[in-house]
Amino acid sequence: MARCLMVLKSVVSSCKANTRLFSYSQRSGNRIVRAAFLEVSNTRQQNYWISTRLLSLSSPGASLICHFYSTHAETAEEPLHNIISDSENVQGSFSKHEFQAETKKLLDIVARSLYSEKEVFIRELISNGSDALEKLRHKLITKGGESAPMEIHLQTDVAKGTLTIQDTGIGMNEEELATNLGTIARSGSKAFLDALQSQVEASSSIIGQFGVGFYSAFMVADKVDVYSQSAESSVPGYKWSSDGSGIFEIATASGVRQGTKIVLYLKEECKEFSSEDRVKEVVKKYSNFVSFPIYLNGRRLNTLQALWMKKPKEISDWEHEEFYRYVAQAYDKPRYVLHYHADAPINIRSIFYVPETKPSMFDVSREMGSSVALYSRKVLIQTKATDILPKWLRFLRGVVDSEDIPLNLSRELLQESALIRKLRNVLQQRVIRFLLGQSNKESEKYACFFEDYGLFVREGIVTTAEQDVKEDIAKLLLFESSVLPAGQQTTLMDYTSRMKAGTRNIYYLCAPNRHLAEHSPYFEAMKQKDMEVLFCYEQFDELTLLHLREFDKKKLISVETDIVIDHYKEEQFPDSKPESERLTEQQAENLITWMRNCLCQKVTNIKVTPRLDTHPAMITVLDMGAARHFLRTQQLARNVEERAQILQPTLEINTTHDLIKKLHVLKDSSPDLAQLLLEQIYDNAMITAGLNDDPRPMISRLNDLLVKALEKH
């Protein structure tokens, strides 16, 4: 093994840094030893594997099988491609212009306080370049003509402290430079869109609807030079220059390439943006999915495709896996993939993934924000968009892209509006519908999902205000049922389909497991009604159903509450045992009187029930589930009397049970033993009802009971 590791180490050390996962196996005779190693790779393009079998091991018959997995194909490094050069020369003199008075004030706002992060100026300038290329492409389609490759180039210069951004787009003439760059409230892209209102395909690709994008450059630059050559024939090139103080200059320039070139002379405190690594980080973060190639110092950056813009049938499972790992920063596979497109009532392009890995306690915490990124026309707006999905869907990973979303001026924040609420509702309903379809399609796989992510579904019901939405989410719930075999789960919809005609209630019982549920006195009391009962094992099931209240116009009622309701209705249930096997009415009345005197304030009432068979007694409380939840959360009842004062419990006894009949005898023959037995019966009933979380105080009494029971032995 040591030799294997040494060979493996030498092999790995010669591999490129982008190797992400490799494994090896050592085979010696019938013995195989395997291990796996993981390295993190930030880039994923093509998945391939290379298998190398190393046979030159000193031990006879031993072999080392080594598999390398990478996200890059093993190709030769591409040659540098850079169009940026210092070929421009000013011809003649500059003409000076003043920004409008309002523009001066707005320019100061943009440069100082509009954006929360200075790095977004790169996003804005790349978006402007993308718009210029989109306009040129439209012009070529409609009017014909030839053009150089449509690209965006960036170049950093640490020595000079500059950052240059150049596109090969439609460019601007003198008038357009003065208009588009001299008036902050005007947007060339906005005007272009207005001219193409009827042409949806052309307008859908335009990013820059905000006239302030270019001015974000003044957040980081003392001076900005713009060189632009219009795509119109026989139009000279121009240079636009300003320090953002209120004056800009324009002059004719020669040697200007078609498109627009922006040179930023960075402020001293912003020289970080003259670093290639820093700029690369920002481009990868915000503009990784822009349609046109983006080069930084001659190297292509945006190699990833915006999968959410493609048709679902065009995407392979492997592409989904790679894209999921990119957006989720994970190394597992997606359990479910939802690729959703819509044009009405709102434009949506989205992909959602459910992770294969079970969520950790940290993921479950409501402090965890959204893990879905928001894009607008493939440009990142928010890495964690908290407003486009309800909180309970925070387990989803993925992307939402919509050109209809209302953004604030800096394109950083969503503006809460009816449109955002509509988007949130549409996405929520689509996710619910998708998961519901999966439960019908692959019930076992969905059951595994619900086991891992059911807590989020329950949270959705508890935290949602609208009843119709609660019921939609409730369709995703799974429970075991009294009429189905152990382990087989059912939904509320299936339950209602099995209901008898005229039945208006859905019954449920909360218990830690099926055995305790089936042997509960409350389930036993329900048997005479011959109704299906849902078994709820999870801690938050009861709270979830209390908030749900009803489903499909049928009330959700716990069997404990139903017993109390039957008492109010004075419903009669026949005694299943003959009179000879139970106490007489007089004996029962005498026993109840004695029990009231002994229990005092612990109970509000004591009565005989004919609905129990194997249990001596049970506690009933109106709205038992709500009472349990109240006691758990409020911590108000510090002793038995205070607890009873809040609960107002009724103790129902089964006069056919041997313990109750023996208690009737002992109350006269052995009052001390009878007192111990009564208190134990009462505590047992409270524990069974889930109203006593701490049974330790009864231990001394149990010891006394055992001593009494063994006195004659």
Side-chain angles (χ1 to χ4, degrees), residues 155-205:
Q155 182 172 284
T156 57
D157 191 324
V158 177
K160 295 181 180 178
T162 62
L163 172 63
T164 304
I165 301 177
Q166 183 168 353
D167 65 71
T168 58
I170 198 164
M172 291 177 281
N173 57 31
E174 183 177 12
E175 181 182 354
E176 289 169 333
L177 277 170
T179 304
N180 294 339
L181 304 188
T183 307
I184 195 168
R186 180 178 173 81
S187 168
S189 297
K190 180 64 172 156
F192 179 68
L193 277 177
D194 291 341
L196 294 170
Q197 287 180 351
S198 60
Q199 300 181 34
V200 178
E201 283 190 13
S203 63
S204 64
S205 301

Side-chain angles (χ1 to χ4, degrees), residues 31 68 83 93 102 114 123 138 167 215 217 285 302 392 395 502 522 530 635 648:
R31 189 170 170 221
F68 294 88
I83 65 170
S93 59
E102 294 177 355
L114 182 62
R123 176 194 72 183
H138 180 265
D167 65 71
Y215 296 92
K285 179 179 179 181
N302 60 332
W392 72 274
F395 63 88
Y522 304 102
D530 191 27
Q635 298 294 320
Q648 300 288 301

Side-chain angles (χ1 to χ4, degrees), residues 344-574:
I346 186 171
N347 174 275
I348 300 172
R349 299 289 182 270
S350 62
I351 293 181
F352 296 117
Y353 299 105
V354 177
E356 182 69 37
T357 305
K358 183 177 181 179
S360 65
M361 289 305 297
F362 180 72
D363 296 324
V364 171
S365 170
R366 280 184 59 81
E367 299 302 318
M368 273 292 293
S370 168
S371 294
V372 173
L374 175 65
Y375 285 76
S376 180
R377 300 171 188 86
K378 296 186 284 188
V379 175
L380 179 67
I381 304 302
Q382 291 179 339
T383 54
K384 296 182 180 295
T386 57
D387 297 322
I388 58 174
L389 283 175
K391 190 83 171 178
W392 72 274
L393 288 175
R394 63 187 176 278
F395 63 88
L396 292 175
R397 308 290 187 265
V399 169
V400 173
D401 192 317
S402 177
E403 60 191 59
D404 294 334
I405 52 176
L407 302 172
N408 70 350
L409 200 58
S410 65
R411 282 200 284 191
E412 293 179 300
L413 301 172
L414 288 174
Q415 295 174 338
E416 180 63 32
S417 67
L419 194 61
I420 290 298
R421 289 191 293 273
K422 184 68 174 177
L423 174 64
R424 188 161 52 236
N425 292 337
V426 168
L427 292 176
Q428 177 176 236
Q429 288 299 323
R430 186 63 188 90
V431 172
I432 292 172
R433 195 161 68 248
F434 169 78
L435 292 174
L436 193 58
Q438 293 300 314
S439 69
N440 295 327
K441 183 179 178 182
E442 297 180 272
S443 57
E444 290 186 6
K445 182 178 179 180
Y446 178 79
C448 293
F449 158 79
F450 186 75
E451 182 179 354
D452 292 343
Y453 290 91
L455 187 62
F456 294 97
V457 177
R458 298 180 184 95
E459 179 190 321
I461 296 172
V462 172
T463 57
T464 300
E466 300 82 1
Q467 180 62 27
D468 58 334
V469 180
K470 284 178 183 284
E471 294 190 28
D472 285 337
I473 303 173
K475 295 174 183 177
L476 304 176
L477 295 172
L478 291 179
F479 304 97
E480 285 195 18
S481 167
S482 61
V483 301
L484 298 176
Q488 184 175 338
Q489 294 180 305
T490 187
T491 65
L492 290 174
M493 291 182 294
D494 291 337
Y495 180 102
T496 57
S497 68
R498 294 190 294 265
M499 290 175 67
K500 299 176 182 178
T503 307
R504 293 182 293 180
N505 296 332
I506 298 173
Y507 298 102
Y508 65 90
L509 174 62
C510 296
N513 53 59
R514 189 180 184 98
H515 177 78
L516 291 178
E518 290 180 331
H519 292 81
S520 164
Y522 304 102
F523 180 63
E524 185 175 279
M526 280 292 293
K527 287 182 179 178
Q528 293 190 27
K529 297 186 77 168
D530 191 27
M531 292 291 182
E532 179 179 357
V533 178
L534 297 175
F535 294 148
C536 307
Y537 306 141
E538 295 299 324
Q539 181 180 1
F540 297 105
D541 277 340
E542 187 167 57
L543 180 63
T544 301
L545 297 180
L546 285 171
H547 278 81
L548 183 57
R549 298 189 302 277
E550 63 179 46
F551 180 84
D552 192 22
K553 298 181 180 179
K554 297 171 179 63
K555 290 185 178 180
L556 285 153
I557 297 179
S558 72
V559 295
E560 304 142 321
T561 300
D562 184 67
I563 293 169
V564 179
I565 293 174
D566 287 343
H567 287 321
Y568 282 117
K569 292 180 179 178
E570 298 183 350
E571 291 203 20
Q572 300 297 319
F573 294 92

Side-chain angles (χ1 to χ4, degrees), residues 20-169:
R20 184 160 56 86
L21 175 68
F22 62 89
S23 63
Y24 78 90
S25 301
Q26 180 190 1
R27 187 187 307 274
S28 182
N30 295 325
R31 189 170 170 221
I32 300 175
V33 183
R34 289 187 174 92
F37 300 83
L38 184 67
E39 291 185 9
V40 177
S41 171
N42 291 324
T43 55
R44 303 177 177 87
Q45 290 181 17
Q46 298 178 9
N47 189 24
Y48 80 104
W49 59 273
I50 301 172
S51 177
T52 305
R53 190 178 182 92
L54 302 177
L55 298 173
S56 56
L57 299 174
S58 58
S59 57
S63 64
L64 178 70
I65 303 171
C66 186
H67 297 277
F68 294 88
Y69 301 85
S70 175
T71 54
H72 281 286
E74 192 76 10
T75 57
E77 189 173 341
E78 295 182 5
L80 298 180
H81 172 51
N82 194 348
I83 65 170
I84 298 176
S85 63
D86 295 327
S87 60
E88 302 87 0
N89 292 298
V90 173
Q91 304 291 317
S93 59
F94 283 96
S95 60
K96 291 189 177 182
H97 307 262
E98 284 193 15
F99 289 109
Q100 295 179 353
E102 294 177 355
T103 304
K104 293 179 182 179
K105 183 180 293 186
L106 289 173
L107 180 59
D108 184 65
I109 293 174
V110 171
R112 295 177 185 274
S113 60
L114 182 62
Y115 295 92
S116 58
E117 298 289 342
K118 290 184 177 182
E119 65 184 21
V120 298
F121 81 92
I122 297 177
R123 176 194 72 183
E124 296 296 306
L125 297 181
I126 290 177
S127 296
N128 287 345
S130 176
D131 290 346
L133 291 165
E134 202 63 60
K135 294 173 188 177
L136 177 60
R137 181 158 63 183
H138 180 265
K139 177 178 180 292
L140 295 175
I141 292 173
T142 55
K143 298 181 180 179
E146 297 181 358
S147 173
M150 296 187 180
E151 302 166 345
I152 299 172
H153 288 256
L154 294 87
Q155 182 172 284
T156 57
D157 191 324
V158 177
K160 295 181 180 178
T162 62
L163 172 63
T164 304
I165 301 177
Q166 183 168 353
D167 65 71
T168 58

